[in-house]
Amino acid sequence: MSVFRPALDGLVPYEPGKPEEEVQRELGLDRVVKLASNEGPWGPFPAALEALELSARALNRYPDGGAFHLCNALAERHGVTSAHVITGAGADAIIGHLSVAALDPGDEIVTGWPSFISYVLDALKLGATARRVPLRDHHLDLDAMLAAVGPRTKLVYIATPNNPTGTMTGRVELAAYFERVPEHVLTVVDQAYFEYIDEQDYPDAIEEYLKAGHQVLVLRTFSKIYGLAGLRIGYGVGAPDVIEGIAKIRRAFDVNTQAQVAALASLDDEVELERRRSLTAEGRALLAQTLCEHGLEPAGPAVANFLFAEVGDDAVPLFEALLRQGAIVRPLAAFGAPGALRITVGTPDENHFFASALASVRAATT
């Protein structure tokens, strides 16, 4: 008899991609560019690098289990109390903690599909049911998602922008959703790419929904535009009872010292934030043009630091052909889109590298 829960029987362990240097060695390439994981390509902010160096000598000590200084700074930034804020090893960890805190076998979550895979996996691990609602024109269909809510629905996930399609849900649609969602449901608005977006219709879910009294948890991260993906640091903002429920199951020291000090030091550099936002918009436009030139129209309007493109019934052959050219992108079968690729916006040089790789692949197949 297995010691493991039956809910795990249909799941497979996460299979990470190979390191870039290993891909380069195996394929005998001069250069490999990774545009697969929606990371920011510029690394930590200068102030974060300085903070990392200063804190390194204290790494013999356990981290601050409550992330006191970071939580207070985030609370001040968002105009809430520290009781409204929780940190985690990436926003992904908070999704996992919330799932453990909220879901029993037979409970349900609702999400658009394709969307961020952890919403589904973290529910299935606990024996809960994930109701996956098809997108409409690559956008979340909030009306259909509301129709999928039942008496056992605990969580509804709204990723805006949606990963992997890169499309956003606007203010009018979200306001209408919150007017209709049943009171027993906690809505998770995942705004991991919040800082990239400069659209008038894009809402700040903390200001517009949490502070209006809606049952909502808003997720943000330092993994993207802030360049701290390797340190794993994200946070959630919600009502104190929601934060307390999540805190009951999180590990005491799950956010390391380096992550805390780097995130705190990154908060006030608006100039660098705007520089990265502008460069990303330029790079996104270049990548979109590149894809269109080769008959691959990206989903849109895309507003984050990546593009989604349907390339046929099976995206693996194009993924592998690009890999042989040194360009690593993300095939999306695990996200529910087996015929699509996701391409992250890189530096200008990396974007041009991808354009050359795609041109080479297309030339060899036409």
Side-chain angles (χ1 to χ4, degrees):
M1 183 178 70
S2 174
V3 300
F4 299 109
R5 292 180 292 107
L8 303 181
D9 288 347
L11 303 180
V12 296
Y14 173 72
E15 185 175 345
K18 293 180 180 179
E20 293 152 77
E21 60 272 15
E22 183 62 16
V23 172
Q24 186 172 349
R25 185 193 65 79
E26 286 186 0
L27 297 180
L29 298 168
D30 294 328
R31 184 186 183 190
V32 169
V33 168
K34 182 185 176 188
L35 300 174
S37 299
N38 295 355
E39 301 145 327
W42 295 288
F45 284 16
L49 290 172
E50 183 178 350
L52 289 170
E53 184 175 352
L54 291 173
S55 69
R57 295 184 181 277
L59 292 180
N60 58 306
R61 304 295 184 188
Y62 285 109
D64 172 7
F68 177 85
H69 296 295
L70 179 58
C71 282
N72 281 339
L74 291 169
E76 181 178 358
R77 166 171 285 236
H78 294 299
V80 296
T81 71
S82 59
H84 291 81
V85 181
I86 192 163
T87 58
D92 189 33
I94 298 174
I95 295 166
H97 296 330
L98 174 64
S99 299
V100 172
L103 298 176
D104 285 318
D107 285 340
E108 297 177 0
I109 70 101
V110 172
T111 180
W113 198 248
S115 192
F116 188 48
I117 193 170
S118 290
Y119 309 151
V120 170
L121 286 180
D122 287 345
L124 296 178
K125 291 172 187 176
L126 297 163
T129 297
R131 302 215 172 275
R132 287 165 269 200
V133 178
L135 303 184
R136 185 182 68 243
D137 296 328
H138 299 121
H139 288 72
L140 297 181
D141 185 343
L142 296 191
D143 288 336
M145 289 171 65
L146 281 167
V149 170
R152 295 210 64 174
T153 304
K154 291 279 191 72
L155 306 172
V156 172
Y157 288 98
I158 297 176
T160 178
N162 185 46
N163 177 13
T165 56
T167 53
M168 76 176 206
T169 302
R171 179 174 286 107
V172 173
E173 291 174 277
L174 277 169
Y177 164 87
F178 277 110
E179 288 178 1
R180 297 170 55 198
V181 66
E183 291 183 358
H184 71 275
V185 171
L186 174 65
T187 301
V188 182
V189 179
D190 188 344
Q191 295 191 300
Y193 302 90
F194 178 83
E195 293 83 6
Y196 286 108
I197 301 170
D198 189 18
E199 298 287 337
Q200 193 170 17
D201 190 39
Y202 186 69
D204 180 334
I206 297 170
E207 290 293 324
E208 300 184 36
Y209 310 121
L210 177 64
K211 291 184 180 181
H214 294 292
Q215 179 87 328
V216 61
L217 176 69
V218 183
L219 301 180
R220 304 276 174 84
T221 187
F222 290 90
S223 294
K224 307 304 179 182
I225 204 168
Y226 290 104
L228 298 179
L231 288 177
R232 309 306 298 125
I233 173 69
Y235 66 99
V237 183
D241 64 319
V242 172
I243 300 304
E244 182 181 12
I246 298 170
K248 288 178 180 179
I249 58 86
R250 67 181 286 270
R251 294 179 179 85
F253 303 120
D254 65 338
V255 180
N256 68 70
T257 297
Q258 296 287 69
Q260 292 183 40
V261 300
L264 183 61
S266 301
L267 284 175
D268 296 324
D269 196 341
E270 294 297 328
V271 173
E272 178 62 12
L273 204 62
E274 176 55 36
R275 186 185 77 88
R276 295 182 180 203
R277 183 163 43 241
S278 177
L279 285 172
T280 300
E282 293 172 9
R284 187 173 63 235
L286 176 64
L287 284 182
Q289 179 182 337
T290 296
L291 291 169
C292 288
E293 287 173 351
H294 296 284
L296 304 173
E297 184 174 354
V303 296
N305 70 329
F306 58 92
L307 292 175
F308 172 99
E310 294 177 341
V311 301
D313 293 333
D314 183 2
V316 172
L318 181 54
F319 159 75
E320 292 178 342
L322 288 167
L323 185 65
R324 290 190 292 271
Q325 295 292 322
I328 306 176
V329 297
R330 176 59 58 89
L332 296 171
F335 284 74
L341 295 176
R342 189 187 66 196
I343 305 100
T344 305
V345 178
T347 64
D349 178 60
E350 289 170 341
N351 297 333
H352 285 293
F353 182 90
F354 171 79
S356 296
L358 182 57
S360 295
V361 168
R362 290 308 223 194
T365 56
T366 57

